[in-house]
Amino acid sequence: MTSYRKLMLLGRCLLYDTKDSFSSASKRFNAEDLNVDVTGHVFLITGANSGIGFATASEVARRGGQVHMVCRNQERGSQAKNAIIKETGNKNIYLHILDLSNIREVAEFASEFVTSNDQLDVLVNNAGEMLLEMQRTDSENLEATFATNSMGPYVLTQGLLPLIKESAKNPRVVTVTSAGMLLERLNHKYFDNITAENYDGISAYGQCKRQVTVLTEHWASLYPQIHFSSTHPGWVDTPAARRGLGEFYEKMKPKFRNPSEGADTVVWLSLSQAALKVKSGEYFQDRQVVSKHLPLAWTKESQEERRLFLQDMENREKKQTIHIWGKTNGFSNHASQPSPVTS
């Protein structure tokens, strides 16, 4: 990470990431884009108990969609589920308890979901965490930022793709990323080399968001029948932002968007026909395609760097999930069956 990138990113964020910038951008939005009924469509949203995830789940439920909420905490998840049902009148809301940093549990969940459900139209990879200090997971001894923000979403998406690709209802995968990725160049060895002494939470988080943006492009090239997208929600007042940004959040809080504003493009990408007119694999902010790199920042990876990263992710996936799936390119060998998994 260079001083130039930091300065360029701050300037960009002040122009495009604030509450005022959303207000300005929303003037060009077409209200009819979200005037849709998605009754009969099935959505799975991670981190759905608060912030952007909760706002997204509420908007989908309001339009009739069946929502599978994936949450880490039973109590908070149940409270959020009940609030959505009460607010929208939609009772087709299902709660699943899952820690995305536990990779084997993620693989098991994906396999079970595919075998127990006959439909999934939209996956929203929203859950994420920025850690101030380096931690390692109890399950696989992975660096926790990487496990939560990169490896967990990767394994979940890989495991659910067999079901998503069978959808006849404009299947989509939407991944929430961050402008923090603009500080980072893709580095498949990044999390092999960090220690507690040199750990930088913002840099680690940004590297993860760069990784999932590259994965979005990769999946888009492999599965043309599915629309893939990644999106930066701007500065959003969420529990994760408050925990991860510390003094910066306290200083800039008045400029932060509320969760509904932050979720707007996630909802638009998940529901609108307009989003499908844009090439799969793009990176969005405020309903528009934006650049994945800052000018002259030298963050574009080479084809070889990308190949090494994708190979590394596949190898990690094999190591953690082969005993669960029998491993066929990340896909479960089980056939889909009806009836939703609930908890």
Side-chain angles (χ1 to χ4, degrees):
M1 185 191 307
T2 66
S3 297
Y4 169 79
R5 291 180 197 168
K6 290 180 181 179
L7 184 61
M8 286 290 291
L9 179 61
L10 179 59
R12 181 197 180 281
C13 289
L14 288 171
L15 281 174
Y16 301 114
D17 289 6
T18 65
K19 189 176 189 69
D20 288 343
S21 65
F22 176 81
S23 178
S24 177
S26 65
K27 293 175 182 177
R28 60 171 166 75
F29 294 171
N30 184 349
E32 287 302 306
D33 284 355
L34 294 179
N35 185 17
V36 295
D37 184 340
V38 289
T39 301
H41 291 66
V42 181
F43 299 75
L44 189 149
I45 303 168
T46 66
N49 63 280
S50 66
I52 293 169
F54 178 80
T56 301
S58 298
E59 292 300 324
V60 171
R62 189 171 287 111
R63 291 165 175 80
Q66 180 184 119
V67 179
H68 291 265
M69 305 171 61
V70 175
C71 305
R72 186 167 52 183
N73 181 277
Q74 177 73 54
E75 181 179 0
R76 291 195 294 270
S78 295
Q79 290 174 350
K81 172 186 171 181
N82 293 336
I84 291 173
I85 293 173
K86 181 178 180 179
E87 177 185 330
T88 67
N90 185 342
K91 296 183 179 180
N92 290 317
I93 313 297
Y94 301 91
L95 174 62
H96 310 272
I97 303 304
L98 178 67
D99 182 350
L100 280 174
S101 71
N102 188 320
I103 306 307
R104 294 194 180 190
E105 286 189 3
V106 172
E108 289 169 352
F109 168 80
S111 178
E112 181 181 1
F113 194 93
V114 168
T115 60
S116 302
N117 293 266
D118 59 5
Q119 183 181 347
L120 179 60
D121 304 300
V122 180
L123 166 63
V124 178
N125 287 312
N126 163 72
E129 189 69 80
M130 184 188 298
L131 301 175
L132 297 177
E133 297 181 355
M134 182 176 171
Q135 301 177 25
R136 303 200 75 84
T137 63
D138 294 331
S139 51
E140 291 94 17
N141 195 36
L142 294 173
E143 196 285 318
T145 301
F146 171 73
T148 303
N149 296 288
S150 290
M151 198 67 209
Y154 173 73
V155 171
L156 180 66
T157 303
Q158 287 283 98
L160 294 176
L161 277 172
L163 189 56
I164 299 170
K165 71 177 184 176
E166 296 302 318
S167 168
K169 297 181 176 180
N170 297 320
R172 318 179 196 204
V173 176
V174 180
T175 298
V176 179
T177 179
S178 167
M181 76 164 191
L182 299 175
L183 295 171
E184 298 296 322
R185 182 187 177 104
L186 182 69
N187 178 1
H188 75 289
K189 290 292 187 181
Y190 182 96
F191 291 99
D192 293 334
N193 297 328
I194 61 172
T195 65
E197 289 72 29
N198 67 17
Y199 178 80
D200 180 332
I202 293 177
S203 177
Y205 183 76
Q207 178 64 212
C208 288
K209 294 306 184 179
R210 173 63 69 192
Q211 291 179 357
V212 294
T213 302
V214 169
L215 287 170
T216 295
E217 294 176 334
H218 175 64
W219 284 318
S221 71
L222 294 179
Y223 305 101
Q225 69 271 53
I226 303 172
H227 191 269
F228 291 87
S229 59
S230 59
T231 177
H232 169 47
W235 289 347
V236 186
D237 192 348
T238 65
R242 291 173 219 145
R243 288 191 298 269
L245 294 176
E247 291 183 4
F248 180 83
Y249 167 79
E250 292 300 329
K251 182 178 180 180
M252 305 298 287
K253 181 178 178 180
K255 294 184 179 294
F256 274 56
R257 302 175 178 192
N258 64 46
S260 293
E261 293 166 340
D264 177 83
T265 299
V266 181
V267 175
W268 182 80
L269 288 167
S270 300
L271 302 179
S272 76
Q273 290 298 306
L276 298 177
K277 296 178 182 178
V278 182
K279 183 180 71 173
S280 181
E282 294 289 359
Y283 170 61
F284 292 79
Q285 183 170 4
D286 292 337
R287 304 192 190 184
Q288 283 190 329
V289 174
V290 294
S291 176
K292 298 167 186 171
H293 302 275
L294 292 169
L296 303 176
W298 300 99
T299 54
K300 293 182 180 180
E301 72 281 355
S302 68
Q303 288 299 312
E304 178 63 9
E305 288 169 325
R306 179 173 289 221
R307 185 192 68 79
L308 289 171
F309 164 67
L310 294 171
Q311 185 65 59
D312 185 61
M313 293 296 282
E314 183 178 347
N315 290 341
R316 289 176 185 271
E317 180 194 20
K318 286 179 180 178
K319 180 179 179 181
Q320 301 298 340
T321 64
I322 192 168
H323 71 292
I324 298 168
W325 292 345
K327 192 60 188 147
T328 305
N329 292 327
F331 289 167
S332 167
N333 293 317
H334 298 297
S336 302
Q337 296 177 1
S339 78
V341 179
T342 63
S343 58

